[in-house]
């Protein structure tokens, strides 16, 4: 018995690689917050600042190359991150490890390729600050009293972080043992009220048989963090991003923002993504199998039609140290989803536990006294 494939991949034609330094701008950054704007946008989607739409460039018009945004390039000796900054930045602290051990370098040293797509910031800096204030105040009683919130807030900054995204066709052969439930009624004896009685009960049985088939599906949309300072686990905590909002990268989109260069190569990211797609393929085949249950599922998958893109995605990052330990707070700059870790006061936790223990002992003592007088 074979399985009919669940979906057919649509035919795609590969687009020629576009050099972002030579393509004329298709929009402009918001003058207030730097979010990418399209020609027809009447308001900035991030901060709401009015924008006067400009006419699109006609094909027959002479195209003027887009010049890259002047930036400083810093390398962190502590965590190894390479970050681009605006020239007006006079001092710098690494947003990933809160270290001041940074040195300036020439971008030609790394030889990294340019990003292909970008998503602009939809959450303003002030909105990210308000989310941090609300988050840090949760369970505030357990927070250390010497944690100065105001000084921590100053460290919050928006950074474009690099991600690899892949698409590929998975074609699988699978085999498994399929089980289907059926029920029978059996009689049994048991002791009831001092007497042996006979009863019946419904017993479930499983009939097994082998089954094999084929399955194929097109996978895309999984983001692999190419950041040196942000692990895949941390990146997964602020997903998902709305990928249909991706736009072709232009250097001016980075005006007013920091951006990290990718440190994970495409080949390494590809292996991580393919492992994820293989796990997804196994789950999808398991969900497709007929019957009530299955066992010994084996899946043999080949991947083809593989494509990759390097994207810059918006993240607000706050890194701070408390008692020589690094803590981070993250905000998805597109959706506002936030995650983070914050220090707790062990003294206050022990005090709360002690108060709880004393309260329980007093309650037990009170019950004993009431029992003695009754």
């Amino acid at each position: 018995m074979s399985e009919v494939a669940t979906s057919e991949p649509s035919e795609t034609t590969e687009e020629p690689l576009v050099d972002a330094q030579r393509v004329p701008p298709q929009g402009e950054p918001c003058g207030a917050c730097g979010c990418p704007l399209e020609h027809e946008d009447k308001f900035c989607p991030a901060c709401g600042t009015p924008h006067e739409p400009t006419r699109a460039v006609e094909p027959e018009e002479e195209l003027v190359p887009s010049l890259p945004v002047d930036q400083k390039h810093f390398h962190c000796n502590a965590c190894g991150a390479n970050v681009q900054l605006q020239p007006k930045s006079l001092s710098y602290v690494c947003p990933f490890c809160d270290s001041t051990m940074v040195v300036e370098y020439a971008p030609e040293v790394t030889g990294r390729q340019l990003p292909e797509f970008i998503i602009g910031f939809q959450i303003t800096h002030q909105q990210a600050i308000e989310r941090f204030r609300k988050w840090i105040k949760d369970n505030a009683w357990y927070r250390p009293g010497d944690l100065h919130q105001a000084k921590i807030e100053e460290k919050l900054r928006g950074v474009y972080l690099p991600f690899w995204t892949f698409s590929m066709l998975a074609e699988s052969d699978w085999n498994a043992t399929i089980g289907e439930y059926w029920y029978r009624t059996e009689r049994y004896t048991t002791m009831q009220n001092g007497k042996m009685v006979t009863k019946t009960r419904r017993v479930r049985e499983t009939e097994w048989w082998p089954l094999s088939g084929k399955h194929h599906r097109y996978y895309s949309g999984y983001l692999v963090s190419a950041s040196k300072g942000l692990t895949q686990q941390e990146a997964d905590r602020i997903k998902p991003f709305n990928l249909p909002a991706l736009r072709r990268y232009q250097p001016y989109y980075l005006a007013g923002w920091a951006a990290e260069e990718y440190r994970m190569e495409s080949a390494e990211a590809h292996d991580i993504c393919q492992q994820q797609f293989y796990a997804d393929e196994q789950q999808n085949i398991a969900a497709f199998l007929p019957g009530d249950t299955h066992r010994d599922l084996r899946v043999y998958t080949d991947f083809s039609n593989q494509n990759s893109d390097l994207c810059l995605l918006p993240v607000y990052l706050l890194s701070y140290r408390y008692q020589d330990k690094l803590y981070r707070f993250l905000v998805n700059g597109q959706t506002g989803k936030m995650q983070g870790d914050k220090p707790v006061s062990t003294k206050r936790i022990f005090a709360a536990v002690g108060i709880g223990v004393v309260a329980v002992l007093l309650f037990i003592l009170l019950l004993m006294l009431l029992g003695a007088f009754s």
Side-chain angles (χ1 to χ4, degrees), residues 235-253:
D236 288 340
R237 296 173 69 181
I238 57 171
K239 290 180 183 179
F241 287 87
N242 182 23
L243 295 185
L246 284 169
R247 300 180 182 182
R248 280 288 179 184
Y249 169 77
Q250 293 290 340
Y252 59 79
Y253 284 160

Side-chain angles (χ1 to χ4, degrees), residues 150-165:
K151 292 184 179 180
I152 293 177
E153 290 179 0
E154 297 174 357
K155 299 178 182 292
L156 181 69
R157 65 198 69 186
V159 183
Y160 279 108
L161 299 185
F163 287 82
W164 290 104
T165 179

Side-chain angles (χ1 to χ4, degrees), residues 75-82 94 96-97 99 101 228-229 263 328:
H75 173 76
C76 178
N77 287 333
C79 70
N82 288 341
C94 179
F96 299 102
C97 66
S99 171
M101 299 174 58
K228 176 68 176 180
R263 296 302 298 274
R328 280 180 177 168

Side-chain angles (χ1 to χ4, degrees), residues 18-270:
V18 179
D19 186 347
Q21 301 288 354
R22 300 181 60 86
V23 174
Q26 304 300 311
E28 58 184 296
C30 172
C33 70
C35 176
L37 298 173
E38 299 285 2
H39 289 293
E40 65 275 9
D41 289 339
K42 295 183 179 180
F43 297 92
C44 173
C47 66
T49 300
H51 171 248
E52 183 176 352
T54 57
R55 67 184 183 89
V57 178
E58 297 296 333
E60 62 271 12
E61 292 188 76
E62 183 178 356
L63 302 180
V64 181
S66 172
L67 298 178
V69 178
D70 292 332
Q71 289 186 321
K72 289 183 178 180
H73 297 76
F74 289 93
H75 173 76
C76 178
N77 287 333
C79 70
N82 288 341
V83 182
Q84 305 173 29
L85 280 180
Q86 298 303 304
K88 64 182 179 180
S89 301
L90 300 179
S91 61
Y92 183 63
V93 176
C94 179
F96 299 102
C97 66
D98 199 35
S99 171
T100 56
M101 299 174 58
V102 294
V103 294
E104 192 168 0
Y105 72 96
E108 295 80 9
V109 173
T110 60
R112 293 292 192 248
Q113 74 175 63
L114 290 173
E116 295 161 288
F117 294 96
I118 189 171
I119 291 179
F121 278 86
Q122 303 294 306
I123 302 296
T124 66
H125 184 268
Q126 184 58 38
Q127 289 173 330
I129 287 287
E130 292 172 357
R131 280 169 167 77
F132 170 73
R133 290 172 179 171
K134 180 179 179 181
W135 172 80
I136 199 69
K137 288 180 180 179
D138 290 342
N139 299 322
W141 193 88
Y142 296 101
R143 186 161 46 89
D146 59 346
L147 184 63
H148 301 291
Q149 178 178 328
K151 292 184 179 180
I152 293 177
E153 290 179 0
E154 297 174 357
K155 299 178 182 292
L156 181 69
R157 65 198 69 186
V159 183
Y160 279 108
L161 299 185
F163 287 82
W164 290 104
T165 179
F166 297 86
S167 60
M168 56 189 75
L169 172 65
E171 297 177 290
S172 302
D173 292 307
W174 58 265
N175 58 73
T177 303
I178 306 301
E180 186 170 290
Y181 298 146
W182 62 277
Y183 297 86
R184 61 182 176 82
T185 302
E186 71 174 13
R187 300 168 65 87
Y188 69 100
T189 58
T190 184
M191 183 69 69
Q192 183 175 337
N193 297 328
K195 297 180 180 180
M196 295 295 296
V197 296
T198 301
K199 294 185 175 182
T200 61
R201 58 188 174 193
R202 195 169 181 233
V203 179
R204 189 181 74 186
E205 301 285 357
T206 305
E207 184 177 357
W208 299 95
W209 67 85
L211 192 64
S212 62
K214 296 181 180 293
H215 182 274
H216 65 258
R217 183 165 178 172
Y218 201 74
Y219 292 93
S220 63
Y222 185 73
L223 295 169
V224 180
S225 173
S227 168
K228 176 68 176 180
L230 193 71
T231 65
Q232 186 67 37
Q233 291 74 20
E234 290 175 314
D236 288 340
R237 296 173 69 181
I238 57 171
K239 290 180 183 179
F241 287 87
N242 182 23
L243 295 185
L246 284 169
R247 300 180 182 182
R248 280 288 179 184
Y249 169 77
Q250 293 290 340
Y252 59 79
Y253 284 160
L254 302 185
W257 303 98
E260 185 193 8
E261 288 189 345
Y262 69 93
R263 296 302 298 274
M264 179 183 291
E265 298 294 339
S266 175
E268 182 180 354
H270 170 272

